[in-house]
């Protein structure tokens, strides 16, 4: 008798319920449909900025939606908050996706945001695995982004140095000293490369917590400098761009 055929099972997208107050929206990209959690300004208020928040690797709701804690206060500041669930598409599921496919999907999400909200500043937030993807996205998008915020980003991606040097927008780097997943010492690697960029010393800010682990929530604790910077990063990054451009122009005169 003929040998039985081997069945190849396609990965099943992970359906993780979008938490309130975010609204579920499906966005078509080149690599497949991505489920996002979306929060827009109240009423008829127009978007002042867009915050695209990229989660870590684990397929758990508390990781996928980890950035949503700052969605309501960002909305009050006129921001649109976009939190993609990259587990919702087989080709962007973190454990098996190629960096190229994830980058293609994220760039399509940026284009979707621009089509929907117009020419408003876009800020990218990324944590851990999502931090690495955020670096790749910022390097690919160039001058079109307003700012980049990285919480304990992974350093496991191709050409770390080259991609960090290619990030032109201001960068906020956050780490906790007790992070036992990606140790805090790695912030020095990121910092060294980021400061080598043109105007990099003036466009790179760091916040280090003594206690926080490998999570976003401690950086959003009320009263912390990290919370203030995360919630105002669009405005602060815009200010840094203007100031550093002026400093460069003055030095050339």
């Amino acid at each position: 008798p003929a040998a039985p055929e081997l069945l190849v099972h396609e990965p099943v997208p992970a359906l993780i319920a979008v938490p309130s107050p975010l609204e579920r929206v499906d966005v078509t990209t080149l690599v497949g449909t991505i489920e996002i959690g979306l929060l827009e300004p109240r009423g008829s208020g127009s978007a002042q900025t867009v915050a695209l928040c990229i989660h870590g690797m684990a397929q758990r709701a508390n990781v996928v939606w980890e950035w949503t804690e700052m969605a309501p206060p960002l909305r009050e500041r006129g921001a649109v908050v976009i939190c993609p669930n990259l587990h919702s598409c087989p080709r962007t599921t973190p454990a098996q996706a190629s960096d190229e496919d994830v980058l293609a999907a994220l760039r399509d999400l940026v284009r979707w945001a621009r089509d929907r909200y117009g020419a408003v500043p876009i800020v990218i937030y990324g944590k851990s695995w999502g931090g690495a993807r955020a670096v790749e996205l910022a390097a690919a998008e160039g001058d079109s982004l307003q700012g980049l915020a990285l919480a304990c980003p992974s350093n496991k991606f191709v050409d770390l140095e080259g991609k960090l040097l290619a990030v032109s927008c201001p960068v906020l780097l956050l780490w906790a000293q007790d992070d036992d997943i990606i140790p805090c010492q790695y912030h020095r690697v990121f910092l060294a490369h980021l400061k080598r960029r043109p105007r990099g010393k003036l466009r790179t800010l760091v916040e280090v917590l003594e206690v926080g682990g490998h999570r976003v929530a401690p950086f959003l604790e009320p009263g912390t400098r990290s919370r203030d910077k995360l919630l105002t990063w669009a405005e602060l990054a815009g200010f840094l761009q203007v100031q550093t451009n002026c400093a460069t122009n003055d030095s050339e005169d």
Side-chain angles (χ1 to χ4, degrees), residues 62-124:
N62 65 334
V63 173
V64 172
W65 307 118
E66 195 167 7
W67 287 109
T68 60
E69 182 178 338
M70 67 178 187
L74 281 177
R75 175 173 65 177
E76 297 306 316
R77 303 184 68 86
V80 171
V81 181
I82 300 172
C83 296
N85 172 11
L86 294 170
H87 295 280
S88 64
C89 173
R91 289 179 61 182
T92 59
T93 297
Q96 63 198 25
S98 70
D99 294 350
E100 294 77 13
D101 279 352
V102 176
L103 178 58
L106 292 173
R107 298 197 76 178
D108 277 351
L109 289 178
V110 170
R111 280 188 281 270
W112 177 85
R114 290 195 175 114
D115 289 343
R116 186 177 177 101
Y117 304 110
V120 301
I122 296 178
V123 174
I124 308 299

Side-chain angles (χ1 to χ4, degrees), residues 105-187:
L106 292 173
R107 298 197 76 178
D108 277 351
L109 289 178
V110 170
R111 280 188 281 270
W112 177 85
R114 290 195 175 114
D115 289 343
R116 186 177 177 101
Y117 304 110
V120 301
I122 296 178
V123 174
I124 308 299
Y125 296 81
K127 180 246 180 173
S128 193
W129 175 86
R133 308 290 77 78
V135 169
E136 293 178 323
L137 176 60
E141 290 289 321
D143 292 335
S144 70
L145 297 180
Q146 178 102 330
L148 173 65
L150 303 171
C152 46
S154 170
N155 64 341
K156 294 180 180 178
F157 55 98
V158 177
D159 192 16
L160 170 70
E161 178 181 358
K163 286 171 182 170
L164 288 172
L165 291 174
V167 175
S168 60
C169 62
V171 178
L172 174 61
L173 188 62
L174 306 111
W175 232 294
Q177 291 180 3
D178 65 342
D179 189 331
D180 59 358
I181 304 298
I182 304 177
C184 186
Q185 67 195 49
Y186 286 104
H187 89 275

Side-chain angles (χ1 to χ4, degrees), residues 8 44 63 111 201 207 240:
V8 178
S44 58
V63 173
R111 280 188 281 270
K201 291 182 179 180
E207 288 292 334
L240 289 173

